Amino acid sequence: WEDSTYNTPTRRHPSMACTSETSKVSTLIPNTFHKICPGRNNFQFGQPTCGDGSDFSFFFSRPLKQLVNDRKVLIEFQGGGACWDANTCDMQKEYLSVAESYDGFVGMSCSEVEYGAATQGGYPLSMLCAKQIGETDFREYNYIVVPYCTQDVHIGDSFDVSYEDGSTIHHAGAHNMMSVLRWVFRNFPNPSHIFLTGCSAGGTAVPVAYSVLDRHYNTLLRGGRNVQINAIMDSSVYLTPSYFLQNYFPNWKPESLVKKKLHFNFDKYQYQENYPDVLWEHVLKRGSNRDNWGFVTHSSDPVSLMYYQYMSGEGGEDGDRRLVGDERSLENDNSESQWWTEINNSMQYVKARHKNVDFYVIDSEGHCSFGLYYPLQEEVFQTWASPIVKEGSFVGNRSVSTACFFFSLALGGFIVLLISRMRTKAGGEKELLSDDDEVGSTQAKRLSSGYILSTFRPLLSRFEKCPFTAAYVVASSIYFLAMVTSQGFAHPLDNPTFGPSAAGLSAFGINNSALVVYRMQHFRMLTSNLVYSGFTTFVAGMVTLYRTAVESYMMDNGHTFWHFPFVALSVAGCANLVYACLGNGASCSGLALILGLHAFSTAMQRHRGNSSSTFAAPIGLSALLFIVGCTPLFPFDSCLVLVASVLMGLCLGVFLYRSSGEESGAELSREAPEILNETRKTNSTDWRFVKGMGLLYVLLYTVILFRVPAPATSGLHPSLAGCRLVYADQIDDIARAYSGSNGGGERFLEDGEDWFDGQSLCAQLCLPHIVYRPALWGVNQFSNIPLHPGTCDEAGYQEYIASKTLKEFTVTFEVELFSVSNA
């Protein structure tokens, strides 16, 4: 891609088909590079342009389909030298437009590019979007590559700069950077973690990009410090001799960006040789000490030394020489010693003043390349970089789903409180109004004078007998709307209930046995009760809950205010604990909760007969929902959860409350509280049953805490919960036909070249539940490629090669390629 290994890439004006900057990220194929072309506008820094006047573009890849999210972002700034006068810009004229080699990767995946480069003798590059450093899996990150074509370390705001030889250069790096960051702001409004890196000139731009991102995301208006931003700069051109600052730095006009966006005192420090230290310190002080920084350099860096010499006025006149290229030399040992002393002192100075900064030295000669290539060749670097790149945990770092969940609960609780207050005041008003004296009438008016109660009394009175049901309906409705608004709708094959994808449901807390057991995400056993898999299940659940009104029937039959929430929590707890212990995959619990309440109502009616209860017994409706819920039409409503809910509801209806049948619920009235109290005595709780149920729940939760259950580890990838894995091991010819193809008529390799060198290959993909059996039967019946349930690993193919996202009609499939180990 970008050279920093001293090979000259072929360059041309971008011509590969562009993706509009207004396209939503959610519409782009996952795990595939897209070329984004920002338009020019009247915004500040709104004229993205390359140095030769050609259009600027950048490149973007979403994570693997099973890891898709909008919370993690990785931005890499490319390097490639710098120029500031006629001589240096003539040397760098090959680097004034976006490299043609970028276009070759459009339509390809991260792992595909890395595997092709590693096996076919391409540039020494690593694709961070296919890497894992410590606990940080960059395959989960939305990856943005920012090309470099302005020769101003990405910070210039100077158009039409004329040099002595008659050349005109556009040093518009600030415009290009800001066009990328504005795109990030639009498409990732609420990230949790951003990682920045850059090579050479790209590394020099990292502190500036950090400050712009930090000022946008971490403000009081956005709730404080919500986003962690970490960074590693690789071989940045860090030292700036005063000769360059005084004579040539103004040619780039960097003050526009650093003064307006960073609020840095540029006028005071622009001619001081410690300018980089002061600017970086300014950025560090404005940022957070929870954001970790790393600086990587070689102990001997010919490219950085060359720039140091040229910026000191010692470069000489050599029109045939490039500042980035195959020809390089160290003019003398004194220059190298001076360069190393100054950069080491500078790094030690910053590190001593800021505990969240560290630097790493590669004890050899070299510079940098794409994706931290050279540092990643050293095992020690992985250990050093792991805490720097890792996303930390702190209170402010929260997702939309977390905020919506607590808001929904708070609003539901407020509704219960209002209705409870209204019931209490209504009882007090009736007692006072029964007196004929003026004092009683005055007190009654005061009781009913609350503004909120008086405003919403007509609406709240409709839910007087079912406050918890009303609260649940409001809370689950808000939560569902927030979910579909933020996550969108998946393809109908991936979710036939017209709701979000499996990853979207997971983001809002669907119960996932693997995540509960292995990752200790026990909160899912609570949040899943508000989650409905899609529009179909949500409407069915709400209509059914309204038609049966279990809580209202309980109130009419003499149950206390707290009996219904106890029953609901018991049903929800049983369903979620059982699924966490015995289930595989992921399941919502909202529909199961309603079916459990139906079962409770039915059991209360059937068990007591007509002597003392008037409960609804919606057997037909419950049976229909139960049967449909156990089919692939509702892939995120597990039959196990439904069965557990129904059984617990039946048990509660039969054993939880004892009734003598002395009083009929029809005799109850609020004008006769003594009858109500007498009837409540007939609905006494069987505490032996409650204790037994409590012991069962404690036992199940203990089993989960000690990780006794062993759900399939595929559930750790939320997207795989919505599909079933299959593999094919007779695909060598097909794999070779696809290898290197970017889907746009260009290939990474020439025709006839073989990426896989005769290896035996296996392809693995995940089929949506609703098409799993038909697809398995159809492929095996009508094609020459046998398709088997399971994984390539189970079939003996353990060496991961690459993945590729294929789109057939409107459906995308993530295909992973494996070979036999050590093949």
Side-chain angles (χ1 to χ4, degrees):
W1 288 33
E2 178 52 65
D3 158 74
S4 284
T5 57
Y6 324 117
N7 296 313
T8 306
T10 304
R11 292 182 173 255
R12 61 170 171 79
H13 298 297
S15 61
M16 195 75 177
C18 285
T19 299
S20 171
E21 66 173 341
T22 59
S23 299
K24 291 185 178 181
V25 164
S26 59
T27 65
L28 302 179
I29 298 175
N31 192 27
T32 302
F33 274 104
H34 303 270
K35 179 179 179 179
I36 311 296
C37 299
R40 300 180 185 182
N41 50 60
N42 294 324
F43 298 149
Q44 186 182 38
F45 305 111
Q47 302 292 318
T49 309
C50 281
D52 62 359
S54 60
D55 291 333
F56 169 76
S57 57
F58 60 97
F59 297 81
F60 169 71
S61 176
R62 298 173 72 194
L64 298 169
K65 182 179 179 180
Q66 61 263 32
L67 302 175
V68 163
N69 67 88
D70 62 354
R71 300 279 289 159
K72 300 180 179 182
V73 180
L74 163 60
I75 306 176
E76 181 166 2
F77 291 90
Q78 294 302 288
C83 75
W84 51 85
D85 60 15
N87 181 39
T88 55
C89 286
D90 181 63
M91 297 178 193
Q92 294 297 97
K93 60 187 176 183
E94 295 292 331
Y95 298 87
L96 293 172
S97 62
V98 176
E100 179 185 24
S101 49
Y102 284 102
D103 282 354
F105 300 127
V106 174
M108 297 179 67
S109 69
C110 290
S111 56
E112 204 177 1
V113 173
E114 173 150 297
Y115 182 81
T119 59
Q120 303 304 317
Y123 298 136
L125 59 83
S126 66
M127 302 300 296
L128 283 177
C129 51
K131 295 289 187 182
Q132 181 167 340
I133 298 179
E135 298 179 17
T136 304
D137 188 352
F138 284 118
R139 296 178 305 165
E140 300 177 0
Y141 282 66
N142 294 275
Y143 183 41
I144 300 160
V145 177
V146 185
Y148 177 50
C149 61
T150 52
Q151 294 297 298
D152 55 7
V153 298
H154 295 274
I155 62 173
D157 180 32
S158 188
F159 289 85
D160 300 317
V161 180
S162 297
Y163 290 117
E164 305 87 71
D165 61 355
S167 62
T168 299
I169 308 297
H170 305 289
H171 295 298
H175 294 254
N176 298 346
M177 176 193 289
M178 290 305 301
S179 70
V180 174
L181 297 184
R182 280 195 297 268
W183 184 86
V184 171
F185 299 153
R186 286 196 304 269
N187 288 281
F188 302 97
N190 189 40
S192 64
H193 187 219
I194 298 175
F195 178 68
L196 302 174
T197 188
C199 162
S200 193
T204 307
V206 165
V208 178
Y210 168 90
S211 189
V212 175
L213 289 163
D214 184 61
R215 290 297 96 184
H216 175 82
Y217 285 116
N218 296 320
T219 63
L220 290 176
L221 292 177
R222 296 178 61 89
R225 183 155 294 279
N226 297 325
V227 184
Q228 184 175 11
I229 308 172
N230 299 333
I232 293 180
M233 298 178 284
D234 188 1
S235 305
S236 298
V237 180
Y238 188 74
L239 301 179
T240 50
S242 58
Y243 174 81
F244 167 77
L245 293 173
Q246 293 173 8
N247 294 283
Y248 299 109
F249 198 32
N251 289 346
W252 295 348
K253 199 178 175 183
E255 63 270 18
S256 298
L257 184 64
V258 298
K259 288 173 69 174
K260 293 177 182 177
K261 293 296 183 181
L262 276 64
H263 302 287
F264 175 67
N265 193 345
F266 180 82
D267 296 333
K268 179 178 180 180
Y269 297 104
Q270 62 175 316
Y271 299 131
Q272 298 185 18
E273 289 198 351
N274 67 340
Y275 167 82
D277 290 342
V278 177
L279 177 62
W280 192 10
E281 274 211 279
H282 173 77
V283 169
L284 289 169
K285 289 177 181 177
R286 281 163 55 91
S288 169
N289 58 12
R290 284 191 291 250
D291 295 339
N292 299 316
W293 291 77
F295 188 99
V296 178
T297 186
H298 286 76
S299 57
S300 176
D301 188 333
V303 173
S304 293
L305 176 59
M306 186 181 299
Y307 273 100
Y308 180 69
Q309 294 168 339
Y310 268 85
M311 287 178 168
S312 300
E314 302 172 1
E317 298 292 334
D318 184 359
D320 295 329
R321 188 178 187 185
R322 296 189 314 279
L323 294 180
V324 180
D326 295 321
E327 301 175 18
R328 62 201 186 278
S329 63
L330 304 177
E331 294 196 357
N332 56 67
D333 291 339
N334 291 334
S335 295
E336 183 178 16
S337 176
Q338 182 180 356
W339 168 82
W340 171 250
T341 299
E342 289 191 22
I343 198 164
N344 184 57
N345 290 342
S346 181
M347 291 299 102
Q348 295 291 356
Y349 170 79
V350 175
K351 181 180 178 181
R353 293 168 64 90
H354 301 276
K355 302 304 181 183
N356 58 328
V357 176
D358 199 2
F359 73 103
Y360 181 87
V361 178
I362 302 173
D363 190 16
S364 64
E365 178 181 308
H367 193 48
C368 61
S369 185
F370 196 88
L372 300 173
Y373 176 82
Y374 292 111
L376 286 171
Q377 307 305 307
E378 302 194 354
E379 292 185 8
V380 179
F381 173 79
Q382 293 262 3
T383 304
W384 174 83
S386 179
I388 294 177
V389 303
K390 183 180 179 181
E391 178 183 6
S393 299
F394 52 94
V395 175
N397 190 344
R398 58 185 181 273
S399 65
V400 173
S401 58
T402 303
C404 288
F405 178 75
F406 285 110
F407 175 76
S408 300
L409 284 188
L411 185 57
F414 184 62
I415 290 172
V416 171
L417 180 63
L418 282 180
I419 296 177
S420 176
R421 287 276 292 174
M422 185 186 71
R423 288 164 53 88
T424 302
K425 290 189 175 185
E429 288 174 8
K430 290 176 181 178
E431 290 183 7
L432 290 170
L433 290 173
S434 64
D435 300 329
D436 295 330
D437 60 352
E438 183 178 348
V439 176
S441 177
T442 303
Q443 291 179 355
K445 290 179 181 179
R446 289 177 180 175
L447 282 171
S448 59
S449 62
Y451 175 76
I452 296 179
L453 282 180
S454 61
T455 302
F456 294 101
R457 180 181 293 275
L459 177 62
L460 294 175
S461 62
R462 298 172 61 90
F463 304 101
E464 185 177 359
K465 294 183 180 180
C466 48
F468 287 99
T469 302
Y472 177 79
V473 170
V474 171
S476 57
S477 298
I478 291 174
Y479 203 56
F480 179 77
L481 289 175
M483 180 175 67
V484 297
T485 300
S486 64
Q487 303 298 322
F489 293 90
H491 191 280
L493 290 182
D494 292 322
N495 188 347
T497 62
F498 305 105
S501 65
L505 291 169
S506 179
F508 273 74
I510 189 174
N511 193 350
N512 182 315
S513 54
L515 294 175
V516 170
V517 174
Y518 300 130
R519 300 281 174 82
M520 305 292 283
Q521 295 182 5
H522 298 166
F523 66 86
R524 293 181 177 275
M525 292 186 286
L526 175 64
T527 56
S528 63
N529 297 291
L530 288 183
V531 180
Y532 289 83
S533 61
F535 185 76
T536 303
T537 52
F538 176 75
V539 171
M542 294 299 103
V543 170
T544 307
L545 190 61
Y546 173 77
R547 288 176 61 88
T548 52
V550 177
E551 185 178 11
S552 180
Y553 282 112
M554 292 184 72
M555 298 290 281
D556 286 342
N557 283 274
H559 289 267
T560 67
F561 184 76
W562 297 104
H563 278 182
F564 175 78
F566 178 79
V567 170
L569 289 174
S570 299
V571 170
C574 175
N576 285 282
L577 286 168
V578 168
Y579 187 75
C581 289
L582 304 177
N584 270 313
S587 177
C588 302
S589 302
L591 187 62
L593 172 61
I594 293 174
L595 288 179
L597 294 175
H598 282 196
F600 168 78
S601 180
T602 302
M604 290 287 284
Q605 175 67 21
R606 298 291 177 179
H607 179 62
R608 299 186 177 193
N610 296 321
S611 60
S612 62
S613 64
T614 57
F615 282 85
I619 297 177
L621 185 59
S622 298
L624 177 62
L625 279 178
F626 182 87
I627 293 171
V628 176
C630 287
T631 67
L633 291 174
F634 286 9
F636 300 106
D637 290 278
S638 168
C639 197
L640 177 62
V641 175
L642 298 178
V643 169
S645 294
V646 169
L647 290 179
M648 177 51 68
L650 292 173
C651 290
L652 290 170
V654 173
F655 300 110
L656 181 59
Y657 299 116
R658 294 193 301 268
S659 175
S660 63
E662 294 175 358
E663 298 291 338
S664 171
E667 297 174 355
L668 292 174
S669 66
R670 301 199 180 281
E671 289 76 16
E674 67 279 359
I675 300 178
L676 176 61
N677 293 333
E678 181 65 24
T679 306
R680 280 176 178 164
K681 295 177 183 178
T682 68
N683 288 308
S684 58
T685 303
D686 188 339
W687 290 107
R688 289 179 300 177
F689 176 79
V690 172
K691 291 178 182 177
M693 185 175 63
L695 288 175
L696 173 64
Y697 287 5
V698 170
L699 176 62
L700 292 174
Y701 191 68
T702 303
V703 166
I704 294 170
L705 280 177
F706 285 94
R707 300 187 178 183
V708 175
T713 54
S714 60
L716 294 173
H717 300 298
S719 182
L720 296 182
C723 56
R724 297 184 65 176
L725 288 167
V726 297
Y727 72 92
D729 55 2
Q730 297 180 22
I731 47 86
D732 296 15
D733 293 339
I734 295 177
R736 289 183 177 87
Y738 270 99
S739 64
S741 172
N742 62 15
E746 299 186 22
R747 290 176 62 83
F748 189 68
L749 301 174
E750 297 296 330
D751 289 338
E753 291 187 87
D754 183 1
W755 276 31
F756 309 113
D757 194 24
Q759 297 182 55
S760 180
L761 303 173
C762 173
Q764 174 180 296
L765 71 156
C766 209
L767 293 176
H769 290 292
I770 196 170
V771 300
Y772 170 72
R773 294 191 183 280
L776 205 62
W777 177 84
V779 171
N780 291 332
Q781 189 76 17
F782 300 107
S783 77
N784 297 322
I785 306 175
L787 206 58
H788 312 284
T791 66
C792 288
D793 181 75
E794 295 169 351
Y797 298 85
Q798 299 174 334
E799 191 74 23
Y800 174 77
I801 294 178
S803 64
K804 190 176 185 73
T805 302
L806 304 178
K807 186 173 184 179
E808 297 297 334
F809 301 105
T810 59
V811 187
T812 57
F813 296 95
E814 192 76 49
V815 181
E816 297 177 287
L817 202 63
F818 294 81
S819 69
V820 177
S821 297
N822 301 319

